[in-house]
Amino acid sequence: MRSLWVLIPLLLPLPAVAGPLKVGVEVRSTAGSWQPIAPADLSRAIENAALEELSRPGQLQLARAQKGTASDLLLVVEGRLLDEAQTYTVALTIGPGARADAPSLTAAETVVLEKLSRAQILEKVEGAARAAAKGLWGVLGPQLARLGDGTQVGPPPNLDADKTLPWQWGAVRIPKASVSSAGDLDSKDHQKRQATLRELTSLALSEASPRHALERCALDHKDQETRRGCLEALRPLSRKPGPTQRVVIEVYRKDPDSRIREEAIEQMLYFTGAGRSEAIQAFLEAASLGKGYGPLAELGDLPNLDLVIVKCLLARRKGEARPTEGQHFACIELLEPLTHQRRRAILWPFLKETDKNGPRYLEGAGEREGSTGTPWARAVDALLEDATTWDPELEDILWGRYQRTLSSHSLQVLCDYAVPSKRLLERMLEVVQTAGAHCALRAVEKMGKKEANLGVLAKDRLAEMQAMGNFQKGVSADDLGRVIQAISRGEK
């Protein structure tokens, strides 16, 4: 049984690189009581196999990390042996070293070592390391190829709700419980189930078999209350044993009961090392499916977060034709730790969507957007939040949205932030004429004062409207006259 997962962040353009990148390598290995091969031998096997695979393209200069020596990137090769499941996971994580702008990627491969000879174990482990390295390079290679060419890297343009994210989960392996009372958890007598649960909870603190019974119960028991009780009993045990952590994660992924999932989240927040990485993976998966967001909003920037947000915005819950507004709000909240460039890559296809039945269409409230929050308004605000320059393409998107839905939020953004131009002036004058919007009139005044040629055009058009009464209620002839005078004073 094999499990391959790859976490992929989307990167900003990096400076050009001269020659191979210097990569410092660290090797880590963890094992419990079951050690079919000495941990040092397993470490050497996965290190040699992974580095050989990553060296093939010739773009990485790999060497053991040395104190006081700066490397462009840092590669951690980690092996994790789970006792009871008898599985071995090879995880490769590459991230910033001396270069803070470098990519951060993780790939891992899991293999089952049960009933294998020493030679077969080494072959399996080396194969896992090679597979993980190939998965890592499959993502890292294209990023390195883009270095220095100014390419804006964003989510795949054709990513949609029907495509899976680039990881897979293997089945959970729990040894059969040998404790005689485990069967009483299935008793029809509620009191008997509760008594058995209390007994197993006490025994599990010092024995493995009662813990296995609780793990199986937390995953599979038909009674919701009993499942939750078994999961709660695992709380002190999930802090350390890897197999128990994997069970808790699987409960979070699969259980339909929100209270049980919340208990799983509470336990997962205390996981460390490889268990924490898998917990984060589960949170990301849930968000990508629109099923829940766990503590992602508090965890900051994470590998593959960009793709997850795209999937989240597209995900449809069972029985619904499109994502709900509440779901969109939660997805947009996940943008908080991302840079402006990454936000733009994610949001642009959604902001450009004009088909109300399209999967990327964000709901608005038209003229009422000034008084109510909508996914459209929040997405625009998220894009503008840390922007340092005005994007002319955004002006066209906002203007199109205003024309179609009379979006007050789109109009307000144009009035407040758009860079003065003849085209923008014409648009604001049109709004004054057809809608009588005061913010548009203020924008006309601002542009007329700032640029003389725009001021001349603005005064002529406003004077024409004033003379012919060709403007909508909301502004008055006196309002137009005051703006004409203000522009004239500003020109002197």
Side-chain angles (χ1 to χ4, degrees), residues 160-486:
D160 57 42
D162 296 328
K163 294 185 179 179
T164 58
L165 288 172
W167 65 64
Q168 296 177 359
W169 293 93
V172 174
R173 295 167 56 84
I174 302 174
K176 186 176 180 180
S178 59
V179 61
S180 59
S181 59
D184 290 337
L185 284 173
D186 295 320
S187 172
K188 293 182 180 180
D189 185 334
H190 174 76
Q191 297 297 330
K192 190 172 185 179
R193 288 202 308 270
Q194 292 302 306
T196 302
L197 178 56
R198 289 193 294 271
E199 177 188 356
L200 293 174
T201 299
S202 176
L203 293 173
L205 296 173
S206 57
E207 300 176 32
S209 186
R211 172 165 56 83
H212 298 158
L214 293 172
E215 291 169 349
R216 179 58 61 194
C217 166
L219 274 177
D220 298 337
H221 204 285
K222 294 180 180 180
D223 180 68
Q224 178 178 298
E225 183 181 349
T226 304
R227 283 203 313 276
R228 192 177 73 177
C230 290
L231 181 62
E232 290 174 347
L234 293 175
R235 190 180 301 168
L237 306 171
S238 66
R239 298 292 181 94
K240 188 174 181 180
T244 302
Q245 292 178 348
R246 182 67 183 86
V247 168
V248 174
I249 291 171
E250 193 72 0
V251 170
Y252 169 75
R253 294 181 63 234
K254 298 293 181 64
D255 202 291
D257 184 74
S258 61
R259 292 181 303 167
I260 292 177
R261 286 167 56 86
E262 287 170 6
E263 170 63 27
I265 290 173
E266 286 296 317
Q267 295 187 32
M268 291 159 69
L269 290 175
Y270 290 95
F271 292 179
T272 58
R276 179 174 176 80
S277 298
E278 291 187 352
I280 289 174
Q281 178 185 346
F283 294 144
L284 289 168
E285 178 190 56
S288 74
L289 298 173
K291 292 183 177 179
Y293 312 94
L296 284 181
E298 289 78 46
L299 292 178
D301 194 4
L302 298 167
N304 211 35
L305 182 58
D306 307 62
L307 288 175
V308 164
I309 295 172
V310 173
K311 289 278 293 180
C312 179
L313 288 167
L314 289 169
R316 289 184 244 177
R317 294 177 181 174
K318 187 176 181 180
E320 296 176 351
R322 55 178 293 104
T324 64
E325 286 194 9
Q327 181 184 327
H328 274 159
F329 290 151
C331 302
I332 291 169
E333 184 181 351
L334 298 178
L335 291 162
E336 178 62 30
L338 304 189
T339 63
H340 173 73
Q341 291 86 347
R342 289 165 68 186
R343 293 184 188 193
R344 186 183 190 278
I346 291 168
L347 293 174
W348 208 249
F350 294 89
L351 296 178
K352 289 173 64 177
E353 180 61 72
T354 59
D355 181 3
K356 287 188 176 182
N357 296 317
R360 288 178 170 80
Y361 188 80
L362 297 177
E363 295 290 345
E367 294 176 291
R368 297 183 292 107
E369 270 174 349
S371 58
T372 181
T374 66
W376 165 262
R378 292 198 187 182
V380 172
D381 289 344
L383 186 62
L384 294 174
E385 195 170 83
D386 57 356
T388 56
T389 58
W390 175 254
D391 190 332
E393 292 182 72
L394 181 59
E395 179 183 322
D396 291 336
I397 290 175
L398 293 170
W399 179 247
R401 184 81 177 204
Y402 170 75
Q403 287 185 310
R404 288 189 302 276
T405 69
L406 297 179
S407 166
S408 63
H409 187 271
S410 298
L411 178 60
Q412 193 65 54
V413 171
L414 288 170
C415 292
D416 292 343
Y417 299 110
V419 173
S421 67
K422 182 179 179 181
R423 182 178 65 171
L424 179 63
L425 179 64
E426 294 283 0
R427 287 171 168 173
M428 293 299 99
L429 288 167
E430 179 182 330
V431 175
V432 172
Q433 186 174 6
T434 60
H438 272 277
C439 90
L441 187 58
R442 289 194 297 271
V444 168
E445 179 182 342
K446 180 174 64 176
M447 288 186 280
K449 289 179 177 179
K450 188 169 184 178
E451 298 187 17
N453 61 323
L454 297 181
V456 173
L457 176 59
K459 288 191 296 181
D460 289 347
R461 289 286 302 279
L462 291 173
E464 180 183 338
M465 289 184 204
Q466 190 181 38
M468 300 183 66
N470 189 16
F471 52 88
Q472 288 296 315
K473 184 178 180 180
V475 297
S476 65
D478 289 343
D479 292 329
L480 301 183
R482 281 194 292 272
V483 171
I484 292 172
Q485 292 176 5

Side-chain angles (χ1 to χ4, degrees), residues 88-215:
Y88 193 78
T89 298
V90 181
L92 305 181
T93 302
I94 195 163
R99 294 186 55 156
D101 57 354
S104 175
L105 310 167
T106 301
E109 180 82 3
T110 299
V111 290
V112 177
L113 305 182
E114 186 178 16
K115 298 180 181 179
L116 297 181
S117 67
R118 174 186 171 85
Q120 290 172 324
I121 288 175
L122 286 174
E123 182 180 358
K124 278 268 193 178
V125 166
E126 290 174 354
R130 293 183 190 280
K134 286 179 181 178
L136 185 70
W137 183 254
V139 182
L140 180 63
Q143 303 296 347
L144 298 183
R146 293 185 175 101
L147 298 187
D149 68 0
T151 299
Q152 176 64 51
V153 182
N158 296 321
L159 182 71
D160 57 42
D162 296 328
K163 294 185 179 179
T164 58
L165 288 172
W167 65 64
Q168 296 177 359
W169 293 93
V172 174
R173 295 167 56 84
I174 302 174
K176 186 176 180 180
S178 59
V179 61
S180 59
S181 59
D184 290 337
L185 284 173
D186 295 320
S187 172
K188 293 182 180 180
D189 185 334
H190 174 76
Q191 297 297 330
K192 190 172 185 179
R193 288 202 308 270
Q194 292 302 306
T196 302
L197 178 56
R198 289 193 294 271
E199 177 188 356
L200 293 174
T201 299
S202 176
L203 293 173
L205 296 173
S206 57
E207 300 176 32
S209 186
R211 172 165 56 83
H212 298 158
L214 293 172
E215 291 169 349

